[in-house]
Amino acid sequence: MSFAPIALFAYNRPTHVQRAVESLLANELAPTSDLCIFSDGPKSPAQEAAVADVRRYSGSVSGFRSVTVVERPTNLGLANSIIDGTTRMTKEFGRVIVLEDDLVLSPHFLKYMNMALERYRDEDRVFQVSGHMFQATIDSPDDAIFLPFVTSWGWGTWDRAWAHFDPNATGYLEIGSDPALKRRFNLDDAYDYFGMLEAQLAGNIDSWAIRWYLSVFRQQGLALYPKKSLVDNFGFDGSGEHCGTNGAPAGLDPAFDPVRMPEVHVIDEHKQAVFAHLRKSRSLLRRIRRRVDAWFG
C-alpha cells in the first residue's frame, strides 16, 4: 500500500510548525510518508522575520521519505492556501492528509489515516477521514464512527471527493429558504453552521471549511471519526490568525490505537451523542461570553 502524502500548512509560527512535525515523526509511518510544507507569504513587512523562521526550520526537516517546501511568494491566506494545496495534492497523488501548523498528532495518527483512506477509497458516500474527535462518549465495538459533517482539524480526502468542493457555496439559498434543510445543516440545531456560511458569504470570515462542509452536505456525504481524538489543537494561544484564546488542548490518549473500522452508515445514537456534546459546548461558550461581557462591560 502506498501511503498518503501529508500537506502541512504554515504561516508565521515556527514553534507550532516544529511541534506539529515532531509529533508526526513519532508515528511509525513517518519514514515512509512524503511531507509537503506549504509556507504562506507574509501579509506585511512585520511578518517577514517570522515567515523566514518558518521556512528556515522547514528546510531543515528530515525523517520522512521526502520533504518538499512550497514557499508562497505572496500571502494567499489560510483558506486559499489550503484550497490550492489540497487541490494540487489530490490531483497529483489521488489522496492527501491535511494538517495546519497548530495541531499535535497521536503516534497512531498516520496509521489510522492511511488505513481508513485505503479502506474507504471507493466508497462514494465517504468524503473525509477525520483524525479529530469531539469529547463525546461513544459506545461502539468499532474504533471509529461515521457522522454527516466534516471537521478541519487533521483530516484526509481523495480526489474523487475533493472534486465536489465548491468555493462559490452553491446551494446556500436553497438551505436558507428551507427550515428543515437548514436545521439538518445545523446538526439538528446543535451548531450554527449556517451562521458561519452567512458570515463567509458576507466577507466577515475566510473559511474553506464551511464551504467544504456545504459541498459534502449537498452530496449527502459522510466523514469517518475515531472514537477518541488523535489530534489536539494548540492554536488557541492567541498566536494564530484565525484563533482566539478560548479553549485548550484536550489531551491525547497514546494507548488508543484504532484498528476496527465500521461499515458505511451513521448510527443515530452516535450522532446524537456528538450533537448533545456540541449543544453543551455551545451553551458553555455563551455563559463564558456573558461573564466576560459582565466583567469588561
Side-chain angles (χ1 to χ4, degrees):
M1 181 180 74
S2 61
F3 299 115
I6 305 160
L8 174 60
F9 293 88
Y11 178 41
N12 64 350
R13 298 185 290 182
T15 302
H16 289 68
V17 177
Q18 182 174 353
R19 183 159 45 183
V21 168
E22 289 176 350
S23 69
L24 279 172
L25 286 170
N27 281 252
E28 64 180 14
L29 294 186
T32 53
S33 299
D34 298 300
L35 174 66
C36 184
I37 301 175
F38 290 87
S39 171
D40 206 3
K43 284 184 177 180
S44 68
Q47 303 298 325
E48 288 177 356
V51 170
D53 287 342
V54 167
R55 293 177 175 180
R56 189 160 34 249
Y57 170 74
S58 299
S60 73
V61 171
S62 62
F64 298 89
R65 192 176 81 153
S66 69
V67 179
T68 303
V69 182
V70 177
E71 297 184 357
R72 310 284 198 187
T74 59
N75 183 267
L76 296 185
L78 180 62
N80 286 333
S81 185
I82 289 181
I83 291 168
D84 175 79
T86 302
T87 301
R88 179 189 305 194
M89 299 289 276
T90 53
K91 283 183 177 179
E92 183 174 354
F93 299 101
R95 65 186 76 182
V96 67
I97 295 169
V98 180
L99 302 173
E100 296 176 34
D101 62 5
D102 52 9
L103 303 179
V104 171
L105 300 316
S106 158
H108 304 294
F109 173 79
L110 288 179
K111 184 173 74 170
Y112 158 81
M113 292 297 294
N114 279 284
M115 181 187 307
L117 286 168
E118 180 67 18
R119 167 78 182 269
Y120 302 107
R121 65 178 181 176
D122 297 321
E123 295 282 357
D124 290 343
R125 287 195 68 198
V126 184
F127 276 65
Q128 176 176 294
V129 175
S130 170
H132 168 254
M133 180 51 167
F134 304 95
Q135 291 179 279
T137 301
I138 303 298
D139 183 14
S140 172
D142 294 315
D143 292 325
I145 65 171
F146 280 102
L147 294 171
F149 66 105
V150 300
T151 180
S152 62
W153 291 1
W155 58 284
T157 192
W158 306 263
D159 53 344
R160 62 156 176 83
W162 189 251
H164 292 282
F165 176 71
D166 176 13
N168 298 317
T170 304
Y172 157 73
L173 292 176
E174 178 185 358
I175 294 174
S177 62
D178 184 332
L181 199 60
K182 181 179 177 182
R183 177 178 170 79
R184 185 158 64 87
F185 187 74
N186 282 343
L187 313 183
D188 294 343
D189 288 336
Y191 196 88
D192 187 18
Y193 280 113
F194 189 76
M196 288 183 63
L197 186 56
E198 289 183 307
Q200 170 67 36
L201 295 173
N204 296 326
I205 62 173
D206 185 23
S207 170
W208 61 271
I210 190 61
R211 289 175 282 172
W212 173 227
Y213 171 42
L214 176 62
S215 302
V216 174
F217 179 83
R218 296 190 71 230
Q219 298 296 322
Q220 300 182 53
L222 302 176
L224 181 78
Y225 287 75
K227 278 200 307 188
K228 296 181 181 180
S229 189
L230 301 171
V231 177
D232 257 353
N233 189 315
F234 284 80
F236 297 96
D237 56 4
S239 66
E241 291 289 307
H242 299 278
C243 296
T245 56
N246 290 322
L252 300 177
D253 178 0
F256 179 58
D257 182 7
V259 294
R260 297 183 300 273
M261 297 293 106
E263 297 300 316
V264 183
H265 64 277
V266 176
I267 295 176
D268 189 64
E269 65 180 272
H270 298 161
K271 181 179 73 172
Q272 295 305 327
V274 173
F275 288 4
H277 166 76
L278 290 172
R279 289 190 188 96
K280 182 179 179 181
S281 299
R282 183 181 62 179
S283 176
L284 176 61
L285 182 58
R286 284 175 176 169
R287 291 199 299 272
I288 291 171
R289 285 175 175 168
R290 283 199 296 268
R291 188 171 300 172
V292 170
D293 288 344
W295 286 341
F296 295 101

